[in-house]
Amino acid sequence: MSIFINKRAAALILLCLLFISQVSMACSLSIGLSSDFPPYHSKNIGRDWEGITVDLALILAEKAGCRLKIIELPWARSIKLLESGDIQLISHFTHTLERAKYTQFLGPHHIEKVAFIANSSISPAANVPALLPQFDGKIGITRGDRFGQQFDQFVLNNELVNTKLVDIRNNRDRVSMLLIGRLDGIFYDEMSAQYLLASNPRLNNKYAIRFSLQGSPVYWGVSYRHVSITVRQALNQAWLAMLEQNMIQAIYQKYGLMVDIQTLADFPVLLLNEKKE
């Protein structure tokens, strides 16, 4: 009898393991990342992805029992594919009513402050957001960028600034165009801007951060109708576990950086809807 029970128990364990394996294998998430955007994501010498966002996304997927596939895409293209469900995950996503029609938001995972980097010799008096209309040059933004209410107010909805804006396909092109003088200024994540200037003498000698706009929370955007309830539940539990284990701070510290946890904590945690749509 004892042998029979052991065999039966072994068979049940095997079936459970196979079931868990099948569920895990069935959970595959694709995330769209634009070209190099250090310290958040970039490719190393071996052409492997690394950075804060990459590490956080890999941990999130692993804790949810999912495989993560990284696809290199222009930012605007990533948003379109998220809407269609061809990718299921995107990072650094600002919450808007329009995006909420096709996206569920998990997080926030970062407080994004956008900085204005400009040629130091052009309109030096334009050093606060309200004086941006006086900036006599071309300003690059990545197509699809949204950086909160102040960005809408001083940039997107200001007719005197709108005429100066140049839509750029990706981050790499934006920086390249700044370097060769085809742009006179760009809007860029503040931490990335500091990283960019510190690591590139050609930029640091000629360009400077004029000002930064008020920070706003950014989230994981999850495809609204193309991620199952089971996976949404798993992602919620995974994110809560990451917060409990202080994983955000740990990842930033890995790259020698600090995250504003206090400001992050001022915003309520958004979880994915676990009900059937």
Side-chain angles (χ1 to χ4, degrees):
M1 180 65 69
S2 176
I3 296 175
F4 173 75
I5 293 175
N6 287 339
K7 285 184 177 179
R8 184 179 180 184
L12 287 172
I13 291 171
L14 180 60
L15 285 173
C16 288
L17 289 174
L18 287 172
F19 176 76
I20 292 171
S21 175
Q22 288 173 352
V23 171
S24 177
M25 290 297 286
C27 176
S28 179
L29 299 173
S30 296
I31 184 171
L33 296 180
S34 58
S35 56
D36 288 358
F37 189 40
Y40 302 109
H41 53 80
S42 58
K43 288 183 177 179
N44 58 27
I45 296 176
R47 305 302 295 164
D48 294 319
W49 286 100
E50 62 182 8
I52 294 169
T53 300
V54 176
D55 287 0
L56 287 174
L58 286 170
I59 293 171
L60 177 66
E62 180 182 4
K63 284 184 174 293
C66 300
R67 295 173 301 175
L68 184 71
K69 181 179 180 181
I70 299 175
I71 303 175
E72 185 171 0
L73 294 164
W75 176 244
R77 180 66 175 158
S78 288
I79 296 173
K80 287 293 185 183
L81 292 182
L82 184 75
E83 183 175 1
S84 67
D86 291 302
I87 64 172
Q88 297 78 45
L89 190 65
I90 197 170
S91 70
H92 286 75
F93 214 39
T94 300
H95 189 292
T96 69
L97 293 177
E98 179 62 30
R99 288 173 174 178
K101 294 176 182 178
Y102 57 86
T103 308
Q104 293 194 50
F105 295 87
L106 178 65
H109 65 77
H110 178 63
I111 299 298
E112 187 170 56
K113 294 181 69 175
V114 63
F116 180 53
I117 309 174
N119 189 317
S120 300
S121 65
I122 295 179
S123 308
N127 56 6
V128 295
L131 296 180
L132 198 57
Q134 298 179 15
F135 184 76
D136 188 23
K138 296 179 180 179
I139 302 171
I141 62 171
T142 300
R143 194 172 301 140
D145 269 352
R146 297 296 296 270
F147 293 112
Q149 293 182 353
Q150 279 199 328
F151 187 72
D152 290 351
Q153 176 186 351
F154 290 109
V155 182
L156 296 184
N157 299 334
N158 190 320
E159 293 182 2
L160 297 177
V161 176
N162 245 275
T163 57
K164 308 173 192 294
L165 298 181
V166 179
D167 276 351
I168 310 300
R169 184 172 179 268
N170 56 49
N171 295 318
R172 184 188 295 121
D173 290 348
R174 181 169 45 171
V175 174
S176 297
M177 290 176 69
L178 189 68
L179 276 170
I180 63 177
R182 291 182 60 188
L183 293 173
D184 305 298
I186 60 174
F187 279 99
Y188 216 55
D189 174 87
E190 184 183 58
M191 191 174 290
S192 291
Q194 293 167 349
Y195 185 94
L196 180 70
L197 293 175
S199 61
N200 194 325
R202 289 178 63 193
L203 283 173
N204 201 23
N205 293 334
K206 189 175 180 180
Y207 298 88
I209 294 176
R210 296 282 182 94
F211 57 81
S212 295
L213 298 178
Q214 182 180 358
S216 60
V218 288
Y219 302 82
W220 302 106
V222 180
S223 184
Y224 200 83
R225 292 186 176 86
H226 297 86
V227 176
S228 71
I229 296 173
T230 302
V231 174
R232 279 181 254 157
Q233 292 171 338
L235 287 169
N236 284 343
Q237 294 305 311
W239 184 246
L240 291 173
M242 290 173 68
L243 294 179
E244 180 68 24
Q245 297 163 14
N246 298 317
M247 293 301 303
I248 298 179
Q249 299 98 308
I251 295 301
Y252 272 81
Q253 288 169 6
K254 173 184 172 181
Y255 292 91
L257 300 168
M258 296 294 292
V259 61
D260 189 351
I261 286 296
Q262 183 56 55
T263 303
L264 202 61
D266 289 340
F267 295 92
V269 175
L270 297 186
L271 297 177
L272 306 174
N273 184 357
E274 297 180 3
K275 296 180 180 180
K276 186 175 182 179
E277 297 298 335

PDB file of all heavy atoms in Angstrom, residues 143-166:
ATOM      1  N   ARG A 143       8.972  61.076 -31.406  1.00  0.00           N
ATOM      2  CA  ARG A 143       7.570  60.932 -31.790  1.00  0.00           C
ATOM      3  C   ARG A 143       6.807  60.089 -30.760  1.00  0.00           C
ATOM      4  O   ARG A 143       7.221  59.003 -30.401  1.00  0.00           O
ATOM      5  CB  ARG A 143       7.493  60.274 -33.170  1.00  0.00           C
ATOM      6  CG  ARG A 143       6.142  60.346 -33.849  1.00  0.00           C
ATOM      7  CD  ARG A 143       6.265  59.844 -35.280  1.00  0.00           C
ATOM      8  NE  ARG A 143       7.238  60.641 -36.027  1.00  0.00           N
ATOM      9  CZ  ARG A 143       8.104  60.113 -36.898  1.00  0.00           C
ATOM     10  NH1 ARG A 143       8.144  58.810 -37.098  1.00  0.00           N
ATOM     11  NH2 ARG A 143       8.936  60.906 -37.556  1.00  0.00           N
ATOM     12  N   GLY A 144       5.698  60.622 -30.259  1.00  0.00           N
ATOM     13  CA  GLY A 144       4.895  59.899 -29.289  1.00  0.00           C
ATOM     14  C   GLY A 144       5.202  60.240 -27.843  1.00  0.00           C
ATOM     15  O   GLY A 144       4.546  59.743 -26.933  1.00  0.00           O
ATOM     16  N   ASP A 145       6.199  61.113 -27.612  1.00  0.00           N
ATOM     17  CA  ASP A 145       6.569  61.470 -26.240  1.00  0.00           C
ATOM     18  C   ASP A 145       5.454  62.228 -25.538  1.00  0.00           C
ATOM     19  O   ASP A 145       4.841  63.131 -26.099  1.00  0.00           O
ATOM     20  CB  ASP A 145       7.827  62.355 -26.241  1.00  0.00           C
ATOM     21  CG  ASP A 145       9.106  61.550 -26.130  1.00  0.00           C
ATOM     22  OD1 ASP A 145       9.030  60.332 -25.911  1.00  0.00           O
ATOM     23  OD2 ASP A 145      10.193  62.147 -26.264  1.00  0.00           O
ATOM     24  N   ARG A 146       5.208  61.844 -24.274  1.00  0.00           N
ATOM     25  CA  ARG A 146       4.330  62.598 -23.385  1.00  0.00           C
ATOM     26  C   ARG A 146       5.005  62.643 -22.023  1.00  0.00           C
ATOM     27  O   ARG A 146       5.432  61.618 -21.509  1.00  0.00           O
ATOM     28  CB  ARG A 146       2.955  61.943 -23.262  1.00  0.00           C
ATOM     29  CG  ARG A 146       2.175  61.870 -24.564  1.00  0.00           C
ATOM     30  CD  ARG A 146       1.828  63.233 -25.118  1.00  0.00           C
ATOM     31  NE  ARG A 146       0.945  63.999 -24.273  1.00  0.00           N
ATOM     32  CZ  ARG A 146      -0.379  63.967 -24.353  1.00  0.00           C
ATOM     33  NH1 ARG A 146      -0.972  63.196 -25.235  1.00  0.00           N
ATOM     34  NH2 ARG A 146      -1.112  64.711 -23.550  1.00  0.00           N
ATOM     35  N   PHE A 147       5.111  63.827 -21.436  1.00  0.00           N
ATOM     36  CA  PHE A 147       5.848  63.982 -20.184  1.00  0.00           C
ATOM     37  C   PHE A 147       5.042  64.694 -19.105  1.00  0.00           C
ATOM     38  O   PHE A 147       5.599  65.345 -18.239  1.00  0.00           O
ATOM     39  CB  PHE A 147       7.148  64.765 -20.427  1.00  0.00           C
ATOM     40  CG  PHE A 147       8.159  64.038 -21.268  1.00  0.00           C
ATOM     41  CD1 PHE A 147       8.470  64.496 -22.537  1.00  0.00           C
ATOM     42  CD2 PHE A 147       8.813  62.922 -20.793  1.00  0.00           C
ATOM     43  CE1 PHE A 147       9.420  63.844 -23.319  1.00  0.00           C
ATOM     44  CE2 PHE A 147       9.756  62.256 -21.557  1.00  0.00           C
ATOM     45  CZ  PHE A 147      10.063  62.731 -22.822  1.00  0.00           C
ATOM     46  N   GLY A 148       3.737  64.601 -19.137  1.00  0.00           N
ATOM     47  CA  GLY A 148       2.940  65.191 -18.077  1.00  0.00           C
ATOM     48  C   GLY A 148       2.380  66.568 -18.408  1.00  0.00           C
ATOM     49  O   GLY A 148       2.556  67.096 -19.515  1.00  0.00           O
ATOM     50  N   GLN A 149       1.723  67.169 -17.426  1.00  0.00           N
ATOM     51  CA  GLN A 149       0.964  68.395 -17.641  1.00  0.00           C
ATOM     52  C   GLN A 149       1.829  69.588 -18.027  1.00  0.00           C
ATOM     53  O   GLN A 149       1.453  70.374 -18.903  1.00  0.00           O
ATOM     54  CB  GLN A 149       0.153  68.728 -16.381  1.00  0.00           C
ATOM     55  CG  GLN A 149      -0.962  67.739 -16.090  1.00  0.00           C
ATOM     56  CD  GLN A 149      -1.775  68.114 -14.869  1.00  0.00           C
ATOM     57  OE1 GLN A 149      -1.429  69.046 -14.149  1.00  0.00           O
ATOM     58  NE2 GLN A 149      -2.859  67.391 -14.629  1.00  0.00           N
ATOM     59  N   GLN A 150       2.988  69.748 -17.389  1.00  0.00           N
ATOM     60  CA  GLN A 150       3.839  70.897 -17.717  1.00  0.00           C
ATOM     61  C   GLN A 150       4.367  70.798 -19.152  1.00  0.00           C
ATOM     62  O   GLN A 150       4.476  71.813 -19.847  1.00  0.00           O
ATOM     63  CB  GLN A 150       5.004  70.994 -16.738  1.00  0.00           C
ATOM     64  CG  GLN A 150       4.643  71.659 -15.424  1.00  0.00           C
ATOM     65  CD  GLN A 150       5.876  72.147 -14.683  1.00  0.00           C
ATOM     66  OE1 GLN A 150       6.956  71.561 -14.771  1.00  0.00           O
ATOM     67  NE2 GLN A 150       5.731  73.229 -13.945  1.00  0.00           N
ATOM     68  N   PHE A 151       4.690  69.601 -19.587  1.00  0.00           N
ATOM     69  CA  PHE A 151       5.157  69.412 -20.961  1.00  0.00           C
ATOM     70  C   PHE A 151       4.044  69.777 -21.941  1.00  0.00           C
ATOM     71  O   PHE A 151       4.293  70.446 -22.958  1.00  0.00           O
ATOM     72  CB  PHE A 151       5.601  67.966 -21.162  1.00  0.00           C
ATOM     73  CG  PHE A 151       6.246  67.697 -22.492  1.00  0.00           C
ATOM     74  CD1 PHE A 151       7.521  68.171 -22.765  1.00  0.00           C
ATOM     75  CD2 PHE A 151       5.588  66.976 -23.473  1.00  0.00           C
ATOM     76  CE1 PHE A 151       8.126  67.933 -23.991  1.00  0.00           C
ATOM     77  CE2 PHE A 151       6.179  66.725 -24.695  1.00  0.00           C
ATOM     78  CZ  PHE A 151       7.459  67.200 -24.962  1.00  0.00           C
ATOM     79  N   ASP A 152       2.817  69.351 -21.648  1.00  0.00           N
ATOM     80  CA  ASP A 152       1.686  69.728 -22.496  1.00  0.00           C
ATOM     81  C   ASP A 152       1.521  71.240 -22.519  1.00  0.00           C
ATOM     82  O   ASP A 152       1.331  71.848 -23.576  1.00  0.00           O
ATOM     83  CB  ASP A 152       0.396  69.082 -21.977  1.00  0.00           C
ATOM     84  CG  ASP A 152       0.364  67.574 -22.195  1.00  0.00           C
ATOM     85  OD1 ASP A 152       1.247  67.050 -22.900  1.00  0.00           O
ATOM     86  OD2 ASP A 152      -0.543  66.923 -21.647  1.00  0.00           O
ATOM     87  N   GLN A 153       1.598  71.855 -21.338  1.00  0.00           N
ATOM     88  CA  GLN A 153       1.362  73.297 -21.227  1.00  0.00           C
ATOM     89  C   GLN A 153       2.413  74.139 -21.949  1.00  0.00           C
ATOM     90  O   GLN A 153       2.072  75.038 -22.728  1.00  0.00           O
ATOM     91  CB  GLN A 153       1.333  73.696 -19.742  1.00  0.00           C
ATOM     92  CG  GLN A 153       1.191  75.193 -19.503  1.00  0.00           C
ATOM     93  CD  GLN A 153       1.326  75.553 -18.029  1.00  0.00           C
ATOM     94  OE1 GLN A 153       1.368  74.670 -17.160  1.00  0.00           O
ATOM     95  NE2 GLN A 153       1.404  76.841 -17.739  1.00  0.00           N
ATOM     96  N   PHE A 154       3.674  73.855 -21.689  1.00  0.00           N
ATOM     97  CA  PHE A 154       4.752  74.717 -22.193  1.00  0.00           C
ATOM     98  C   PHE A 154       5.279  74.303 -23.572  1.00  0.00           C
ATOM     99  O   PHE A 154       5.932  75.110 -24.234  1.00  0.00           O
ATOM    100  CB  PHE A 154       5.916  74.728 -21.204  1.00  0.00           C
ATOM    101  CG  PHE A 154       5.615  75.439 -19.924  1.00  0.00           C
ATOM    102  CD1 PHE A 154       5.462  74.741 -18.733  1.00  0.00           C
ATOM    103  CD2 PHE A 154       5.451  76.814 -19.896  1.00  0.00           C
ATOM    104  CE1 PHE A 154       5.179  75.394 -17.547  1.00  0.00           C
ATOM    105  CE2 PHE A 154       5.167  77.493 -18.712  1.00  0.00           C
ATOM    106  CZ  PHE A 154       5.028  76.774 -17.537  1.00  0.00           C
ATOM    107  N   VAL A 155       4.983  73.064 -23.988  1.00  0.00           N
ATOM    108  CA  VAL A 155       5.557  72.583 -25.249  1.00  0.00           C
ATOM    109  C   VAL A 155       4.474  72.207 -26.259  1.00  0.00           C
ATOM    110  O   VAL A 155       4.295  72.884 -27.276  1.00  0.00           O
ATOM    111  CB  VAL A 155       6.497  71.376 -24.990  1.00  0.00           C
ATOM    112  CG1 VAL A 155       7.132  70.904 -26.302  1.00  0.00           C
ATOM    113  CG2 VAL A 155       7.578  71.737 -23.979  1.00  0.00           C
ATOM    114  N   LEU A 156       3.743  71.132 -25.988  1.00  0.00           N
ATOM    115  CA  LEU A 156       2.814  70.605 -26.989  1.00  0.00           C
ATOM    116  C   LEU A 156       1.663  71.553 -27.293  1.00  0.00           C
ATOM    117  O   LEU A 156       1.234  71.660 -28.451  1.00  0.00           O
ATOM    118  CB  LEU A 156       2.267  69.250 -26.532  1.00  0.00           C
ATOM    119  CG  LEU A 156       3.285  68.114 -26.394  1.00  0.00           C
ATOM    120  CD1 LEU A 156       2.578  66.821 -26.020  1.00  0.00           C
ATOM    121  CD2 LEU A 156       4.093  67.927 -27.678  1.00  0.00           C
ATOM    122  N   ASN A 157       1.145  72.248 -26.274  1.00  0.00           N
ATOM    123  CA  ASN A 157      -0.026  73.099 -26.476  1.00  0.00           C
ATOM    124  C   ASN A 157       0.317  74.579 -26.648  1.00  0.00           C
ATOM    125  O   ASN A 157      -0.592  75.416 -26.675  1.00  0.00           O
ATOM    126  CB  ASN A 157      -0.999  72.939 -25.295  1.00  0.00           C
ATOM    127  CG  ASN A 157      -1.508  71.515 -25.160  1.00  0.00           C
ATOM    128  OD1 ASN A 157      -1.564  70.771 -26.140  1.00  0.00           O
ATOM    129  ND2 ASN A 157      -1.884  71.122 -23.950  1.00  0.00           N
ATOM    130  N   ASN A 158       1.597  74.888 -26.767  1.00  0.00           N
ATOM    131  CA  ASN A 158       2.019  76.272 -26.949  1.00  0.00           C
ATOM    132  C   ASN A 158       2.328  76.505 -28.430  1.00  0.00           C
ATOM    133  O   ASN A 158       3.290  75.971 -28.970  1.00  0.00           O
ATOM    134  CB  ASN A 158       3.271  76.552 -26.101  1.00  0.00           C
ATOM    135  CG  ASN A 158       3.620  78.027 -26.060  1.00  0.00           C
ATOM    136  OD1 ASN A 158       3.527  78.731 -27.060  1.00  0.00           O
ATOM    137  ND2 ASN A 158       4.036  78.493 -24.898  1.00  0.00           N
ATOM    138  N   GLU A 159       1.486  77.301 -29.078  1.00  0.00           N
ATOM    139  CA  GLU A 159       1.631  77.516 -30.523  1.00  0.00           C
ATOM    140  C   GLU A 159       2.968  78.157 -30.880  1.00  0.00           C
ATOM    141  O   GLU A 159       3.511  77.920 -31.966  1.00  0.00           O
ATOM    142  CB  GLU A 159       0.475  78.376 -31.038  1.00  0.00           C
ATOM    143  CG  GLU A 159      -0.884  77.679 -30.952  1.00  0.00           C
ATOM    144  CD  GLU A 159      -1.995  78.537 -31.523  1.00  0.00           C
ATOM    145  OE1 GLU A 159      -1.692  79.645 -32.021  1.00  0.00           O
ATOM    146  OE2 GLU A 159      -3.160  78.104 -31.476  1.00  0.00           O
ATOM    147  N   LEU A 160       3.519  78.978 -29.984  1.00  0.00           N
ATOM    148  CA  LEU A 160       4.788  79.643 -30.267  1.00  0.00           C
ATOM    149  C   LEU A 160       5.969  78.676 -30.175  1.00  0.00           C
ATOM    150  O   LEU A 160       7.037  78.937 -30.729  1.00  0.00           O
ATOM    151  CB  LEU A 160       4.991  80.811 -29.286  1.00  0.00           C
ATOM    152  CG  LEU A 160       3.962  81.940 -29.364  1.00  0.00           C
ATOM    153  CD1 LEU A 160       4.236  82.985 -28.295  1.00  0.00           C
ATOM    154  CD2 LEU A 160       3.989  82.583 -30.755  1.00  0.00           C
ATOM    155  N   VAL A 161       5.775  77.558 -29.485  1.00  0.00           N
ATOM    156  CA  VAL A 161       6.832  76.540 -29.367  1.00  0.00           C
ATOM    157  C   VAL A 161       6.625  75.445 -30.412  1.00  0.00           C
ATOM    158  O   VAL A 161       7.588  74.893 -30.945  1.00  0.00           O
ATOM    159  CB  VAL A 161       6.843  75.941 -27.954  1.00  0.00           C
ATOM    160  CG1 VAL A 161       7.879  74.816 -27.844  1.00  0.00           C
ATOM    161  CG2 VAL A 161       7.135  77.019 -26.915  1.00  0.00           C
ATOM    162  N   ASN A 162       5.373  75.158 -30.719  1.00  0.00           N
ATOM    163  CA  ASN A 162       5.036  74.075 -31.650  1.00  0.00           C
ATOM    164  C   ASN A 162       5.766  74.177 -32.977  1.00  0.00           C
ATOM    165  O   ASN A 162       6.188  73.166 -33.549  1.00  0.00           O
ATOM    166  CB  ASN A 162       3.523  74.083 -31.911  1.00  0.00           C
ATOM    167  CG  ASN A 162       2.869  72.832 -31.388  1.00  0.00           C
ATOM    168  OD1 ASN A 162       2.844  71.820 -32.068  1.00  0.00           O
ATOM    169  ND2 ASN A 162       2.364  72.893 -30.167  1.00  0.00           N
ATOM    170  N   THR A 163       5.936  75.387 -33.471  1.00  0.00           N
ATOM    171  CA  THR A 163       6.571  75.579 -34.782  1.00  0.00           C
ATOM    172  C   THR A 163       8.059  75.245 -34.755  1.00  0.00           C
ATOM    173  O   THR A 163       8.676  75.068 -35.804  1.00  0.00           O
ATOM    174  CB  THR A 163       6.394  77.034 -35.246  1.00  0.00           C
ATOM    175  OG1 THR A 163       6.935  77.913 -34.254  1.00  0.00           O
ATOM    176  CG2 THR A 163       4.918  77.359 -35.448  1.00  0.00           C
ATOM    177  N   LYS A 164       8.640  75.157 -33.551  1.00  0.00           N
ATOM    178  CA  LYS A 164      10.066  74.858 -33.423  1.00  0.00           C
ATOM    179  C   LYS A 164      10.331  73.361 -33.279  1.00  0.00           C
ATOM    180  O   LYS A 164      11.480  72.926 -33.325  1.00  0.00           O
ATOM    181  CB  LYS A 164      10.651  75.577 -32.189  1.00  0.00           C
ATOM    182  CG  LYS A 164      10.367  77.072 -32.124  1.00  0.00           C
ATOM    183  CD  LYS A 164      10.837  77.661 -30.801  1.00  0.00           C
ATOM    184  CE  LYS A 164      10.295  79.077 -30.589  1.00  0.00           C
ATOM    185  NZ  LYS A 164      10.838  80.032 -31.548  1.00  0.00           N
ATOM    186  N   LEU A 165       9.266  72.568 -33.079  1.00  0.00           N
ATOM    187  CA  LEU A 165       9.427  71.150 -32.765  1.00  0.00           C
ATOM    188  C   LEU A 165       9.697  70.322 -34.013  1.00  0.00           C
ATOM    189  O   LEU A 165       9.113  70.540 -35.075  1.00  0.00           O
ATOM    190  CB  LEU A 165       8.176  70.614 -32.063  1.00  0.00           C
ATOM    191  CG  LEU A 165       7.813  71.254 -30.714  1.00  0.00           C
ATOM    192  CD1 LEU A 165       6.567  70.592 -30.149  1.00  0.00           C
ATOM    193  CD2 LEU A 165       8.979  71.135 -29.733  1.00  0.00           C
ATOM    194  N   VAL A 166      10.602  69.353 -33.848  1.00  0.00           N
ATOM    195  CA  VAL A 166      10.923  68.406 -34.913  1.00  0.00           C
ATOM    196  C   VAL A 166      10.709  66.998 -34.354  1.00  0.00           C
ATOM    197  O   VAL A 166      11.330  66.619 -33.366  1.00  0.00           O
ATOM    198  CB  VAL A 166      12.379  68.556 -35.386  1.00  0.00           C
ATOM    199  CG1 VAL A 166      12.690  67.536 -36.480  1.00  0.00           C
ATOM    200  CG2 VAL A 166      12.652  69.976 -35.864  1.00  0.00           C
TER     201      VAL A 166
END
